[in-house]
Amino acid sequence: RGTALQPLFKMSYSCSKVGHPHPGQSYKGGYFCAFLPDNKEGQKTAMLLKKAFEHGLTFQIKSCNGEERVTWGLIPHKTSLGGGKARNGYPDAQYLREVRTVL
């Protein structure tokens, strides 16, 4: 598998902005962890993911059991080092190409 980078995103409680499902309503945050290979392709992908994060594309706010909460957005992330593509993990030989296409 090789060494993996481990970006960790922390989204705390906050108030949503215009463009969110319920502007002005508070939402619940959480911890989100994603993995990338520690190689040239993985590092390039990390830079693109950082830009996506800075533009507010990484996460979205959804209603879940009557509570607004942060969830992953439409950009695919590898959230496990194992389990393969079916479990958002590795191995997945096409992941970096696919995520760069989305980005």
Side-chain angles (χ1 to χ4, degrees):
R1 283 185 232 186
T3 307
L5 300 173
Q6 183 179 341
L8 176 64
F9 303 100
K10 179 184 177 188
M11 305 297 287
S12 60
Y13 287 87
S14 190
C15 189
S16 61
K17 298 177 182 175
V18 174
H20 289 230
H22 301 96
Q25 186 172 344
S26 62
Y27 59 84
K28 185 174 182 178
Y31 289 92
F32 298 84
C33 185
F35 299 92
L36 291 168
D38 189 9
N39 58 29
K40 189 175 180 178
E41 274 190 277
Q43 291 168 4
K44 280 178 150 179
T45 303
M47 288 176 23
L48 292 172
L49 287 169
K50 181 180 180 200
K51 286 182 182 180
F53 177 79
E54 290 168 350
H55 285 90
L57 302 173
T58 304
F59 299 99
Q60 58 189 350
I61 300 171
K62 286 189 174 179
S63 290
C64 182
N65 297 326
E67 178 178 67
E68 300 293 311
R69 64 182 322 125
V70 176
T71 63
W72 287 110
L74 299 177
I75 300 168
H77 285 78
K78 290 297 176 184
T79 56
S80 173
L81 291 174
K85 188 172 187 169
R87 296 197 176 177
N88 295 324
Y90 292 99
D92 182 353
Q94 302 303 314
Y95 172 68
L96 292 176
R97 185 174 334 179
E98 290 172 1
V99 74
R100 282 197 309 269
T101 298
V102 170
L103 293 166

